[in-house]
Amino acid sequence: MSKNYVCGCDVGSTYGKAAIMDLEGNILGSSIVRSKIDPEETSILSVEEAIRNCSGNCSIKGLDDFACIVGTGYGRNRVPFANENISEITCHAMGVHVTNPNVKTIVDIGGQDLKGISIDSDGSVKHFAMNDKCAAGTGRFFESMIRAFEVDFEEFSNMSLSARQIVPITSQCSVFAESEVVSLVAQKKNPADIAAGIQASVAKRCFTMLKSAGIEKDVTMTGGCAKNLGLKKALEKILKFDIVQLTTDPQLMGALGAAEIAHRKVLAQRSAG
Amino acid sequence: MLKYRGNIKDQWIDFKYWGLNWLSILGLVATNPYKVVIALFKYPWIYDLLKTNNLVKRYNEGRNGTALLLSNINIYYVIRGTVRQLKTIVYGSKDTFLENCMIPTEIYQAMGLKVFVAELPAALLPMEDQHTCDKYMDLIENNGLPGDTCSYPRITAGVFAAGEIPRDVKGLISNNLPCEAGMASHGYYEDNLGVPTYRLDVPYNFKEEDALNLFVEDMRGLIAFLEKNTGRSMNWDKLREVLTRYNQMNEIELERWEMAASDTPPLANENIWISHFWNYNLEPGNKDSIEWYNEMHKHLKKAYDRKEPALKNLRFRVVLWNPPTFAYAHFWNWLEQCWGVACLNDMESFGHFEDMFIDTTSNETMLKGLAKKWCNTTMSRHTRGPVENYLPDLWHMFERFRADFILVAGHIGCRSSSAMSGLMKEEAQKRGIPICIFDYELMDSRVCSHQGIRDQINNFMVNVMKAAPLNKSLLVIDDDSEW
């Protein structure tokens, strides 16, 4: 029986993501699961979950039904069933390109890194800039901020939208910024104003990465933090134009790009006979 | 142990230079073993230089033929030069001066003076062993020098603070090269030594005639200082001999560039910058320098005629900006073996040498030529002054050596170069030139590990150059077991 499905598996530092496609390029299912310590386990869990989430009359029963699986993300070399491993920078660019070909620049906020990616007209990477040395401006940074406020992500993401002013956060380092925020909360400063300060500080870091990669319209955000509305607003304020909202979950872009690359490989192999 | 290279000829090259290296080192000891023992107590870092043959092994992993031979020749002459420097401190001389690197050494040669380059341990030790200088950096940081200072002056100051740089010297000669951080540390040596000091000020607006004339006067001041403190006189005929040899070397350098720009460049990577660095900055015009250049050139020409490239799998031609990775000396070998990258010229080796032949007809023309040469030398031209001093050179290098991309070693400890990197990136993007700026610390691999450097290169090669590695197993290497 011919295998008519492909899969992309993005093993990130905080979440594992998987996307399944048929050979017409339709997304059949996807998943986002919390990362385990072992990247191998994360990859298995995310693909199993994506198979379960597959819609319609999809007949995928297991890994054997995939014509190609591409692993990506920091744990890509630990995806045991991957036919190929491809850098998440390339996969994010491709994922965004197939979702919205007008997007030329991405800011990707991952769990432990922050990237600016400039995309070429064919969806390949033109330039990129990356910070993977410091947690400032990454998902981990937001996690520590949320901990200081004792709220959930969604609440935090909307908090700054009602700010009357911005309380500047002077520390860039996640550890120092967390204690700065705790002190500000203890001083009874308006939480919305503090949150606006946090979002502004991360937006500045995102802008630096974008500038380094080269800003060209349209710009979008990917990664889990792309769902942070406060950050989106803060970055738009610095960029002085709107950030494009993707129609597919921005957290899935790496997995989707990996699936698209797998899809193209299978089509190329089959057309070559 | 010498690893078998797969053929007798290459094995013989390895063995021959392994033996010659040891003979050179023994040459230091043979004159007076007692003095050497004393020196080893006074300057214990000399022990670390005995790891040289190990460095050769790391440089030459996977290399054969002319590339292997040239690499061996390079290191052999570096050892000879180092032994010459060490003789200065081991056997002493009443006219020994301590100098900071990149001072017109042609003048000392003409006067027959002995100098010891204060930065020698900092330049050589991290190449031999990436962690050997950690203790010196820790020491000087404990004495108050900020830890984010460039590791080059940090190590030098650390060695100085440990009392392991000769102090019984006639004088100190300092300058404002290679950078301001280096210059700032010179005051510390001056205060501690309490000897007469001369400070040369190399202008960065060297395109102006007035600036060159000022520097000529400054060099006259240096000559007068040396004459006063040694009782010797400047020997202008000797200077002419030195500069004539330098001119011959310069001719060879330009021929080397022509070969490097060809489809089959016979010389690449560290073999370019090590030979240039030593012969243009430390001992230009020295008899050994011209012998070294001639010896390399003889083999280069043969390889060039045979169309034998320096790399077996040459896939990408690059030019490098900023100083190379001293604390990861064999980085180039990794680039070569993993990605097929050949670096064909670099900021330290690049200058407008076509215009830097020195007219030896009169004392005046010789000084003027020297002034021009030193104003254009490594880092003098490329890390100071206005953007016009360096950006056009980068594009010129890129085109001249037909590079596929630019590699910028983003030295974390250098504030001015990080600002320049930003400018270069913006400009390169406008021109559509792929540029890879990777973070590293010149001589401190604790700041950015070897794998940290490799990861950045891997990311660039895969994502921007869309390349697959020649050898996948080299993408991630355990730093303890790396070559």
Side-chain angles (χ1 to χ4, degrees), chain B residues 93-287:
Chain B
S93 158
K94 62 183 174 62
D95 285 342
T96 298
F97 281 81
L98 187 68
E99 68 146 11
N100 296 111
C101 71
M102 300 167 72
I103 301 234
T105 58
E106 295 91 341
I107 292 173
Y108 312 140
Q109 292 181 55
M111 292 181 77
L113 294 172
K114 301 277 183 205
V115 287
F116 180 75
V117 181
E119 285 98 343
L120 191 80
L124 294 180
L125 296 176
M127 288 165 71
E128 308 270 358
D129 177 343
Q130 56 168 318
H131 292 302
T132 198
C133 287
D134 294 356
K135 56 181 180 288
Y136 297 120
M137 289 187 275
D138 290 344
L139 175 68
I140 198 66
E141 282 170 34
N142 292 340
N143 282 1
L145 190 74
D148 58 353
T149 311
C150 169
S151 49
Y152 193 49
R154 199 152 34 107
I155 294 172
T156 308
V159 181
F160 195 92
E164 296 175 20
I165 279 185
R167 285 165 182 268
D168 46 347
V169 290
K170 196 92 184 174
L172 172 70
I173 303 152
S174 159
N175 67 352
N176 56 350
L177 294 180
C179 66
E180 278 69 15
M183 186 177 67
S185 61
H186 301 171
Y188 170 60
Y189 316 142
E190 194 180 340
D191 289 347
N192 274 272
L193 287 170
V195 292
T197 301
Y198 191 87
R199 284 178 178 274
L200 263 180
D201 184 13
V202 186
Y204 61 75
N205 46 347
F206 50 84
K207 287 173 188 160
E208 291 171 21
E209 195 66 15
D210 285 352
L212 281 180
N213 290 336
L214 192 73
F215 189 44
V216 167
E217 284 312 306
D218 210 356
M219 280 196 292
R220 283 190 197 283
L222 171 65
I223 293 168
F225 170 82
L226 294 171
E227 286 179 336
K228 185 183 160 198
N229 285 286
T230 61
R232 297 183 186 213
S233 300
M234 178 66 180
N235 184 338
W236 295 98
D237 289 333
K238 192 85 186 288
L239 182 64
R240 186 166 292 109
E241 278 174 31
V242 172
L243 296 184
T244 304
R245 283 196 292 267
Y246 159 76
N247 283 339
Q248 288 166 4
M249 201 174 74
N250 206 29
E251 258 175 47
I252 295 177
E253 180 78 3
L254 293 173
E255 274 186 54
R256 279 166 48 149
W257 284 13
E258 267 179 45
M259 293 187 228
S262 72
D263 286 342
T264 50
L267 192 67
N269 298 334
E270 87 283 347
N271 279 332
I272 291 182
W273 70 261
I274 287 181
S275 56
H276 184 94
F277 179 79
W278 194 281
N279 292 309
Y280 271 72
N281 298 334
L282 295 180
E283 296 186 311
N286 182 293
K287 282 180 186 161

Side-chain angles (χ1 to χ4, degrees), chain A residues 5-6 8 18-31 50 53-56 58 60 95 98-99 247-249 252-253 255-257 259-260 263:
Chain A
Y5 305 102
V6 290
I20 295 171
M21 268 185 184
D22 61 20
L23 294 186
E24 277 77 51
N26 303 309
I27 304 167
L28 303 177
S30 63
S31 68
N53 292 343
C54 275
S55 56
C58 157
I60 305 171
V98 293
T99 309
T247 48
T248 310
D249 187 337
L252 280 172
M253 284 305 119
L256 182 61
E260 174 61 19
H263 171 220

